Amino acid sequence: MKLGVSSYCFRKLMASGEMDLIAVLDWVAASPAGHVEVAAVDGDYYLENDEVVRKAAAHAADIGVPIVNYLVSGDLRTADGEQIDRLRRQLDVAHRFGARIFRHDVAPWAWREQDQAEFESTFEQVVIGCQAVADHAAELGIVSTIENHGFFMNGSERLSRLVYAVDRPNFKVTLDLGNGLCVGEVPGKTAAGLIDVAASIGVKDFHIRRTAPGEGWLKTLAGDYLLGTVAGHGDVDLASLLAVVATKPDVPVSLEFEGLEATPHAIERSLKNILELVGA
């Protein structure tokens, strides 16, 4: 298994200024992980700071820690030309990072259609936007992806339908093993339904409860409550899911820790647990 780490794991330390992307790359180089996934959680920072991108790419090459995936926000609900152009320019950033996979959103994380009619009309526009982005990605030798993420484009059936409708050989899925829970889909169904169209895979774990014991818990469409935690410490059956992942050994796998536990210890523990679960 090609195991790496998403920079999203370090978001709090990066936001506070305690770490930057170079420090994340160095941390990963000293860890059991072998690559980095860059998550642009701070909007268009990398789009607007080309020198940061070029220095990080050069450093990644120097220390042998490839940047395999670049993740950005996006809103293609109306196939707006300005949004498409922004994503094309973000693809250029991915290319400068040396990433060969690009993940973009198609709607704000919390947005959900009001009814089936709104879903169908929005879906048509999303397809057009994804095609335009994927076509530019192909020019750069990049695989363009959509993640099962948020409340709109989530669940294996919606993601599979989108891949089929976009109909581009370089348009696939960044498969998050836990995110299907947000829309009430059990992780086993998510993994089985999307593994064959996955270009990259994200590993996370959640505590799952029927009632929220306090603040910070996410309410799902099924009425459950989720709280991120160290991989292997939650209620997601990671052992079974990682067995599915093992059927695609060439697909990069990245830890995405988003719990309340202190980093970087929680990241270290998560990596160790994942490797133990796969027998590495």
Side-chain angles (χ1 to χ4, degrees), residues 193-231:
L194 295 176
I195 190 66
D196 287 337
V197 291
S200 65
I201 296 169
V203 179
K204 65 160 61 91
D205 204 349
F206 291 111
H207 296 300
I208 307 171
R209 299 291 184 271
R210 286 300 300 167
T211 57
E215 295 182 0
W217 292 72
L218 168 69
K219 187 176 183 179
T220 74
L221 295 186
D224 294 320
Y225 291 86
L226 307 177
L227 181 68
T229 188
V230 170

Side-chain angles (χ1 to χ4, degrees), residues 9 11 14 26 36 39 55 58-59 80 88 106 154 156 167 185-186 209 214 219-220 227 230 232 234 246 262:
C9 299
R11 66 198 180 282
M14 296 178 77
D26 287 338
V36 166
K55 286 182 177 180
H59 190 67
D80 176 75
R88 285 171 173 154
V106 297
N154 200 343
S156 56
D167 193 25
E185 181 170 271
V186 296
R209 299 291 184 271
K219 187 176 183 179
T220 74
L227 181 68
V230 170

Side-chain angles (χ1 to χ4, degrees), residues 61-126:
D62 288 343
I63 63 175
V65 178
I67 296 171
V68 301
N69 197 1
Y70 179 51
L71 288 66
V72 304
S73 62
D75 188 354
L76 296 176
R77 289 175 295 171
T78 61
D80 176 75
E82 185 174 334
Q83 273 287 324
I84 292 172
D85 179 67
R86 172 183 166 273
L87 290 176
R88 285 171 173 154
R89 289 185 289 117
Q90 287 280 28
L91 267 166
D92 295 337
V93 173
H95 185 63
R96 289 193 288 276
F97 268 132
R100 287 293 170 260
I101 305 168
F102 176 72
R103 190 229 75 172
H104 64 87
D105 292 328
V106 297
W109 182 88
W111 187 80
R112 179 79 176 187
E113 74 281 358
Q114 295 183 7
D115 51 36
Q116 190 65 27
E118 185 175 29
F119 172 79
E120 295 297 340
S121 61
T122 304
F123 184 83
E124 291 177 2
Q125 296 303 303
V126 166

Side-chain angles (χ1 to χ4, degrees), residues 22-46:
I22 297 293
V24 170
L25 288 164
D26 287 338
W27 189 95
V28 172
S31 79
H35 66 255
V36 166
E37 172 186 271
V38 174
V41 295
D42 39 10
D44 290 343
Y45 174 77
Y46 296 116

